[in-house]
Amino acid sequence: MLITALRTLRARWVTFVGSFTALALGVALLTVTGLALASSLDVPDRAPERFAAAPVVVQGQDTLRVPTPVGDRVHRLAHPRPVPAHTIARLKRLGPVAEDRAFPVRAADGTRLTGRPWSIAAFTPYDLTAGRAPKAPHEAVATGPGVRPGDRLRTDHGVLHVVGTAEPGTALREAALFVTDARAAALAPAAPTRLVVDAAPAAVRAAVADAPGVQVLTGAARRLADPGPDRDAEALTAMNALFGTAGGVTAFVSVFVVASTFAFAVAQRRREFGLLRTVGATPGLLRRTVAAEALLVGLLAAATGCVLGGLGAPYLAAWAADAGLAPAWFEIGAHGWPYHLAFWTGLLVALLGVAAASWRAGRTAPAQALREAAVDAGARTPGRLLCGAALLLTAAVTLALALACDPGGLLGRKSYVSRPMLLITAVALLAPVLLPPLFRLMVRLPGVTAMLVRENAAAGVRRTAAVAAPVLVTVGLAGSLLGATATVQAAKSAETRARSAAHFVVTPRGDTALDAATLRRLGTVPGTTVSATSPSAVYVLEEGVALIRSQARAADPDALAATSRLPLTAGRVTGLDDDSIIVNEEWERHRVGDRVDVWLGDGTRRSLRIAAVMRTGTGDNGVYVTPANAPGARPDRVDVRLVPDADPGTAATALRAAAGPSAEVRTTDEWLRATHPEAGRTTRYGLFLVLGIALLHTALSLVNTAVMATSDRAPELAALRLAGATRAQTLRLVAAEALAVVAVGGLLGLLVAVLNLLGMRGALALLEVPAPVRLPWPALGAVLAACAALAVTASVTSAALTLRRRA
């Protein structure tokens, strides 16, 4: 069998190269995404940065820990608690204490800095590179390039004289500005959430024993006091989701393309199989020969793909880090299972790709095989049509169940990534039935060329379906993923717009909060009703085991009712008070009047009455509480509604004067465009990564399949030349056929995208969110144009070489 397989591969080297290329590329992409996913599973050990030189760090409660029957459930608090004053007094009796009082600073040029007391700088440590330490209230030590001693720094806290510059002795990267301890205490009068104690750790632990939740950090645990201590874990969680999605899409595209290519390669040899059956070859001999060829090609291609994937994975990691999708430290580790998974998956797909075709070839009688070699009359096999119909029915049933039980689930990434795969496979299996009528509908131009395109497509259904398959995958995935993202984003924007009755929105410039003086000035603007809201969080234990964190906003009920149109299903906004909460239908308990046990943003446990219930919507409705139930929350938004007779221009001018330079006044539509863009940078890059990997494979597969299909048409092209067609006419016919096949494949892909987005539109309608379906026409046009260029170039080039050999 092996010798026979080698001889047949040598005789059909174009088919061998095509199958080898498809499988090697598929295995390489699986290896790359597998290695990236494996490398994102482990959080590296990080050394302390901000307090690397601190003997002991005492930190207030910053996590909520709730015991359940299946173990403790932990969430990070939205508003960490400060260290109690009596605990600080007790710690000061043990030794020197440096309080870390941080406050935001905004320079006149818009630069955002973090102000800190100079006494805390020694525990990073920050070393003076020039000048001296601050001694007067108006003096400061600055970090970073471009600042020198003697500079005057204009900030929202007045003019500061830079008397020194400093650099951290660790990898900490922070735009810090150090002032005297007295000045920091005046600018940040709230009790500190962390401090450094120069005392024995055991004595410090004994001193804080009666302060619940207060942590004593020493050694490597001091990194928990760094900014964003969970940033590595959060980054890896995001990378897991990203590379998991990319791996899933890559696996689907690879399996689809490789199986299609191998099945087409076997189908091309029907005449050869008919001749072998005529001279006495048994069905078992044919099956073993085809399996041996697939095994040989599969082994070589899978091994090559693993090598290529191992070489390409570091480039993917570097790109992900440069694009901000991964931390700067992310790199590919030494993992073995992605190689095994990719190798054996590729080999199995190669064998399965030829299994059905080889089984059918073995069962075909000699005369029947020779008859089918001329026309693809047997492309519409009952098994293929039955599988396609079953997958289509499965997609319809699962969609109906999702719409009936959980319409919001259709808006999730898992749904709009996986559902197109089911539809693409179903449409590809039904392609032999769909392609002929589509060609007759689309290619209705008069003339010999149009007639030949129609008849050739009808006679070569397998060839047409094989070339159209990569286009179907490309357009279907691009339309579904980009369209779903745009549709969900538009729905979120429309939902936010529908919730607001405000004419203007005032927000702080940068990441700071609005100060009390600004809020007082905004409240005095005539002809307006203002509602200041603060971001917070509420935690609830559902089903006794799941600790759920819900985004919350704290607001005055009367002002909130005047400036918003919350999508309530029960209750009223003005029913909110310090003993109640507004929840949404996602909560386990969501009946007006019921009481729910919750933990507030600082970990305080409360029992609150449900005052009103909102629709679930797209999942961004969150909950609402009063400021009394959001301790530590600071206003970051003011919604302004004008009275009926107020002039918008006059009101805008007055609002900007009251807001001052530290806040920005925008109309509600301007604020929506700024805060709800079409897609965030990370989302766009993530989609580019997922689609880029998939489209790379399908693009090369399109070229590969077009070359394989055209090289097999040498007798047909020679017959056209003998019938009187010139070389140019023959090549134009090949180009026209390639364009027609790409157009039909694009139409089927568009059908998949539309069906997927219509299901999402139905979910939005059930959720009562007004949003249109967004099809990414520019992206689809670019993808289709690229597919057309690749298919025409590959087909015409291959046909030209074939005609030259025939001559």
Side-chain angles (χ1 to χ4, degrees), residues 471-766:
V471 183
L472 164 63
V473 176
T474 304
V475 175
L477 280 179
S480 297
L481 297 186
L482 295 176
T485 304
T487 299
V488 171
Q489 197 68 34
K492 290 181 180 294
S493 297
E495 186 180 39
T496 303
R497 185 66 185 90
R499 286 202 309 257
S500 176
H503 296 90
F504 296 95
V505 177
V506 183
T507 54
R509 297 182 184 273
D511 299 328
T512 60
L514 294 168
D515 56 70
T518 301
L519 294 176
R520 284 194 299 270
R521 290 196 302 269
L522 291 172
T524 61
V525 174
T528 64
T529 301
V530 299
S531 172
T533 60
S534 309
S536 187
V538 171
Y539 309 85
V540 61
L541 190 65
E542 295 191 351
E543 299 180 355
V545 294
L547 184 62
I548 307 299
R549 184 184 195 271
S550 296
Q551 296 293 333
R553 293 202 72 85
D556 176 78
D558 294 331
L560 179 65
T563 58
S564 68
R565 292 187 291 261
L566 298 186
L568 299 182
T569 60
R572 53 193 177 85
V573 176
T574 53
L576 179 67
D577 55 29
D578 292 346
D579 187 48
S580 62
I581 184 173
I582 297 177
V583 303
N584 58 64
E585 292 177 327
E586 280 188 318
W587 279 47
E588 182 183 14
R589 303 186 65 178
H590 54 268
R591 189 175 62 181
V592 173
D594 287 355
R595 300 195 74 86
V596 289
D597 291 329
V598 300
W599 287 264
L600 304 180
D602 68 342
T604 302
R605 185 167 184 172
R606 290 289 308 274
S607 175
L608 298 177
R609 175 180 50 84
I610 297 178
V613 179
M614 295 183 292
R615 289 195 301 267
T616 302
T618 60
D620 287 346
N621 283 334
V623 302
Y624 285 87
V625 294
T626 60
N629 288 320
R634 302 176 63 192
D636 69 340
R637 193 176 92 207
V638 173
D639 295 314
V640 182
R641 180 177 174 84
L642 304 181
V643 299
D645 297 331
D647 178 62
T650 303
T653 302
L655 287 171
R656 291 189 177 93
S662 62
E664 185 174 6
V665 179
R666 289 173 288 193
T667 65
T668 303
D669 290 335
E670 291 173 343
W671 173 76
L672 280 173
R673 285 193 295 269
T675 56
H676 292 75
E678 288 300 316
R681 178 178 178 276
T682 303
T683 302
R684 290 198 307 272
Y685 275 65
L687 283 176
F688 290 158
L689 173 63
V690 173
L691 287 175
I693 292 176
L695 300 187
L696 171 65
H697 197 183
T698 53
L700 293 181
S701 173
L702 178 62
V703 174
N704 186 27
T705 309
V707 171
M708 290 173 61
T710 306
S711 65
D712 199 47
R713 301 176 61 186
E716 177 187 337
L717 298 179
L720 282 174
R721 294 297 307 277
L722 291 174
T726 65
R727 179 185 176 89
Q729 288 174 329
T730 305
L731 294 180
R732 282 200 297 271
L733 174 63
V734 171
E737 287 186 26
L739 283 176
V741 172
V742 169
V744 172
L747 183 61
L748 291 177
L750 181 62
L751 175 63
V752 168
V754 169
L755 290 176
N756 188 50
L757 295 179
L758 285 179
M760 185 173 288
R761 180 67 185 87
L764 291 172
L766 291 175

Side-chain angles (χ1 to χ4, degrees), residues 330-429:
F330 178 68
E331 60 182 14
I332 300 298
H335 303 279
W337 67 262
Y339 291 100
H340 285 281
L341 180 63
F343 181 89
W344 296 112
T345 298
L347 187 58
L348 179 63
V349 171
L351 294 175
L352 292 178
V354 302
S358 64
W359 180 262
R360 183 172 176 272
R363 295 184 60 188
T364 305
Q368 183 183 357
L370 291 176
R371 182 170 64 251
E372 289 183 357
V375 179
D376 289 339
R380 304 175 185 88
T381 60
R384 177 170 186 158
L385 299 181
L386 182 61
C387 289
L391 287 177
L392 202 58
L393 181 62
T394 301
V397 171
T398 55
L399 176 61
L401 290 176
L403 289 174
C405 302
D406 183 22
L410 292 174
L411 307 182
R413 181 174 54 188
K414 291 182 179 179
S415 177
Y416 66 70
V417 168
S418 60
R419 192 167 296 278
M421 300 179 187
L422 194 62
L423 291 173
I424 287 171
T425 307
V427 172
L429 290 173

